[in-house]
Amino acid sequence: MTSNHPPAAVLESLVAPKIDRVDLVTVKLPFVAPFGTSVYVWTDKEAMLMRIESGGVDAWSECVSDPDPFYFYETNGTARHIIKDFLLPLVEPGMTMGELETRFRRVRGHGMAKATVENGLLILIALQKGLSLHDLMGRPGKKIPSGISIGLKESPAELLAAVEKAVAKKYGRVKMKIKKGQDVEWVRAVRERFPDLRFMVDANGDYALSDLPLLKELDAFGLMMVEQPLSYSDIFEHAALQREMKTAICLDESIHSLADAAAAIALESCRIINIKQGRVGGLMESMRIAAYCADRGIDVWSGGMDETGIGRSVNIHLQTAQGFSLPGDTSETSNYFDEDIAEPAVVLDPDGFIDIPRGPGIGVRVVPERVLKRAIGWERLR
Ligand code: OSB
Ligand code: MG
């Protein structure tokens, strides 16, 4: 099926327009509360945004890297370097997006940098055609299920309060971060209070195979999955762990491409994959991975990187693609920021679903005054 209908073919055939101007703008938005994980605690979102102008139309995209390499090897600094010195010089008017992607392959890795340029061009093309991004992808609109990622908390009481709030909002599933020493008993507390909750955990690679007895204890809690329990770069040992665990393993950090997904599936390293469009190099590779997984009975969902309204909207549109079978990390804007740089904010409807932002492109408007207020760096590249 996928061979007759390559899932990203409709995007691959689009032609890149002539670009008049490109800017990188870095904004720093304070989080409403610190976001704690096993690898770092972030207190604000430092997001590098790209603005591409063509024939009087301007498109914004967002690089999902952080200023630090604690979740992923790319940083805003490396992404800027790769975009400026290697990717943008490869972009020529008249080339198809498929050709662009082929040229980009010469640069090894750096998917977050690649996604910033690729998504920016796709959003620009959508705007010029007057189409929403999901229409450009050839996908019908639908209500998008919500999911929330709750960071590490200071106490079980604080954790329970956060879960309670999420349950009241009708989030489609709740994920909590775990780390060594803050796991089984915290999970038990949530499960005892919310026996029917669609519930999962994310370790961001904090455990080793030698922690097998502890990880197996998680099987008692009816979790939807345990995300990235072992090292950020591992696929092989996750297969050994999955053989020993009842709970489905979901890979996040380890999956950078369709080839990685194929390896993980062949090795039976996971039963679920978290697709972050930035981490895998953009919308086209995301669509390929999702369809490939769907054909093999592997569930996928869209992860998040605490994006501003720009990246958040891209993630929402992506979830119309074939294969996105589970709620992702797509939560309300107010979960992160008092004031985003784009509007309208993402909100849940009374059933816990999200409407795709309406209108051409990603459907959200970047508010220039808010960008200016939050900008900590601005550079014209072209
Ligand atoms: O591991 O999924 C992760 C945020 C930053 C870096 C890594 C991760 C996360 C999240 C939050 O879990 C996702 C979101 O709410 O956007
Ligand atoms: Mg994760």
Side-chain angles (χ1 to χ4, degrees), residues 35 71 149 175 177 202 204 227 252 276 304-306 336:
F35 183 68
Y71 162 77
S149 174
K175 151 171 150 184
K177 294 289 188 180
D202 185 359
N204 288 107
E227 183 177 344
D252 170 357
K276 290 181 182 167
M305 286 294 290
D306 308 323
Y336 311 85

Side-chain angles (χ1 to χ4, degrees), residues 49-96:
L49 311 175
M50 174 177 271
R51 181 181 176 279
I52 308 180
E53 196 180 306
S54 167
V57 176
D58 57 277
W60 289 83
S61 62
E62 175 170 351
C63 187
V64 304
S65 53
D66 286 310
D68 54 78
F70 303 143
Y71 162 77
F72 199 67
Y73 69 88
E74 292 183 80
T75 68
N76 293 343
T78 69
R80 170 190 169 274
H81 165 53
I82 295 294
I83 290 170
K84 180 180 176 179
D85 298 331
F86 295 100
L87 299 178
L88 265 191
L90 296 174
V91 180
E92 285 175 325
M95 69 196 312
T96 66

